[in-house]
Amino acid sequence: MAKEVLNTIAQRASEKTGIKLYGRSVERVLAGLLTTSDFWKVVDLADQPVPATSQIVKELVAEALAKIENDEILLTEKGLQLIKDLKIPPAVDYSCKACEGRGIPFYANLDWYHTFLQVTKDRPKAIQQYDQGSVTPETTISRVLFLDSREDLRDRDILVMGAEDDLTGLAVALTRLPRRVLILDIDERSIDFDNRIFKELGIDNAEAIRFDLRNPFPEEWLKSFDVFITDPPETLKAFKAFIARGIAALKQEGSVGYFGLTLRDSSITRWHQFQKALINDYGMVITDIIQDFNAYMNWDYHAETKAQEVAPVKKLPTDIWYRSAWIRMEALPGFKGENEKITDEVFMELYLDEEGSTT
């Protein structure tokens, strides 16, 4: 009987959001509520799209299993009894505090870290126009260290596609270890910022170019890079279009791509679709997935997002809650990318659908 309650709530939430949910999805929210009454922290713990967690909370309230008081979500006696009957444990976090769960401590190279902090003091702020949200400096430096640990940094030709609000391309170039760094982004502020730093520091093997990634790459960028890094939109068509463009820029088998992927804007069902596309359509294999590697600083425009609109509380997030996995993939023999123009149809669904909500 208790299990049926979970399945019923999951079914109702699925019907209202269009996101495939299960009894286990509800369990994850209940486990989070045993740990915190803060909605945004529950989203973080539950690892599900914001609309899904939000609707599950609303269904729990409708069933008198939870209540909302002063923007806090509290379990009722009925809810606590259900949890007891189902033996649901509270959400726990055993991740290493020193490396923030990445397995790569940002302080492993303090020279890189301190240099990055110094040169980015006046970095441009993330803006909604370009769906920006910057990761913490510790995340950015950990990305660089991860590349180095996989032999993807030194004497490599590296392409950074978009998301330079994270300044990953800048951080890579500051090491002075790659053979070449090319940064592409549509935000002229990021491009000007990077090029100014390169000029001031005399870094002559790195360049930032304003480029709309909806457009095909020129011939000289195709099959020219050992590594590409991107942070693609998480709708299926847009993900495939961006990733396929990066793959088309790879030189040969053994070349690699890095990207971030969330469980805040994508469900595991969509992850399944992404992974099938990488293997079946493009001949890539995932070698590493480090969950919650990328920690995002709260962005100023959060109050204007769909995430805040659908949330069951008015309270804005105060701590880091938006995280994404850091994924490395490698090109197999016969791999192939695509270099087609991204059409208006795809562009219209680049950022928001039933799962995405943070733009």
Side-chain angles (χ1 to χ4, degrees), residues 10-223:
Q11 181 179 351
R12 289 175 182 169
S14 292
E15 292 170 353
K16 292 177 181 177
T17 62
I19 303 170
K20 181 61 178 176
L21 300 169
Y22 313 88
R24 177 74 174 117
S25 310
V26 183
E27 279 190 32
R28 295 183 71 88
V29 173
L30 290 170
L33 288 172
L34 280 172
T35 303
T36 179
S37 60
D38 185 312
F39 172 71
W40 300 105
K41 292 180 181 178
V42 173
V43 171
D44 188 16
L45 292 168
D47 271 339
Q48 296 173 148
V50 176
T53 299
S54 176
Q55 191 59 47
I56 287 172
V57 168
K58 292 174 183 177
E59 297 298 331
L60 291 173
V61 171
E63 292 293 326
L65 297 166
K67 59 184 178 180
I68 299 175
E69 293 182 356
N70 299 320
D71 265 351
E72 301 292 322
I73 304 167
L74 307 171
L75 291 164
T76 63
E77 289 299 320
K78 182 180 177 182
L80 289 169
Q81 185 60 52
L82 177 68
I83 288 170
K84 182 178 179 181
D85 292 343
L86 292 170
K87 299 180 181 179
I88 298 174
V92 293
D93 180 9
Y94 295 123
S95 59
C96 169
K97 302 307 177 187
C99 68
E100 300 179 339
R102 299 184 184 97
I104 300 285
F106 68 88
Y107 50 82
N109 192 315
L110 285 175
D111 287 342
W112 292 357
Y113 179 61
H114 289 149
T115 299
F116 182 74
L117 290 181
Q118 178 65 30
V119 303
T120 60
K121 288 186 298 186
D122 59 345
R123 64 191 292 170
K125 284 190 173 183
I127 57 175
Q128 189 173 19
Q129 180 182 357
Y130 298 126
D131 184 34
Q132 292 176 338
S134 303
V135 297
T136 63
E138 294 76 22
T139 297
T140 300
I141 293 302
S142 296
R143 289 176 174 179
V144 178
L145 292 166
F146 192 92
L147 262 69
D148 200 21
S149 73
R150 294 297 189 273
E151 300 181 1
D152 296 331
L153 179 69
R154 300 170 190 251
D155 202 34
R156 303 299 187 193
D157 294 315
I158 299 176
L159 172 65
V160 180
M161 302 168 50
E164 189 53 15
D165 51 310
D166 294 336
L167 299 179
T168 300
L170 174 62
V172 165
L174 288 174
T175 69
R176 301 176 187 263
L177 293 175
R179 183 166 46 239
R180 176 194 183 197
V181 180
L182 177 61
I183 300 164
L184 307 176
D185 200 277
I186 198 170
D187 185 357
E188 197 163 2
R189 301 173 310 145
S190 297
I191 297 303
D192 291 344
F193 183 80
D194 282 356
N195 284 326
R196 175 172 64 82
I197 299 299
F198 297 152
K199 183 176 181 181
E200 289 176 356
L201 297 182
I203 298 174
D204 58 9
N205 66 335
E207 180 184 15
I209 297 175
R210 187 177 187 275
F211 187 82
D212 187 338
L213 289 168
R214 290 174 293 176
N215 296 322
F217 281 169
E219 192 68 29
E220 62 265 28
W221 294 349
L222 300 177
K223 299 182 179 179

Side-chain angles (χ1 to χ4, degrees), residues 239 243 247 259 273-286 327 329:
F239 172 86
I243 290 293
I247 294 170
F259 61 95
Q273 295 173 321
F274 291 156
Q275 292 178 26
K276 284 200 302 183
L278 292 175
I279 295 169
N280 298 331
D281 298 344
Y282 305 125
M284 306 294 292
V285 61
I286 293 173
I327 300 175
M329 60 183 179

Side-chain angles (χ1 to χ4, degrees), residues 223 247 250-255 278-285 330-338:
K223 299 182 179 179
I247 294 170
L250 295 180
K251 290 180 182 178
Q252 58 196 359
E253 59 193 61
S255 298
L278 292 175
I279 295 169
N280 298 331
D281 298 344
Y282 305 125
M284 306 294 292
V285 61
E330 192 163 322
L332 296 173
F335 78 96
K336 60 180 180 179
E338 296 172 0

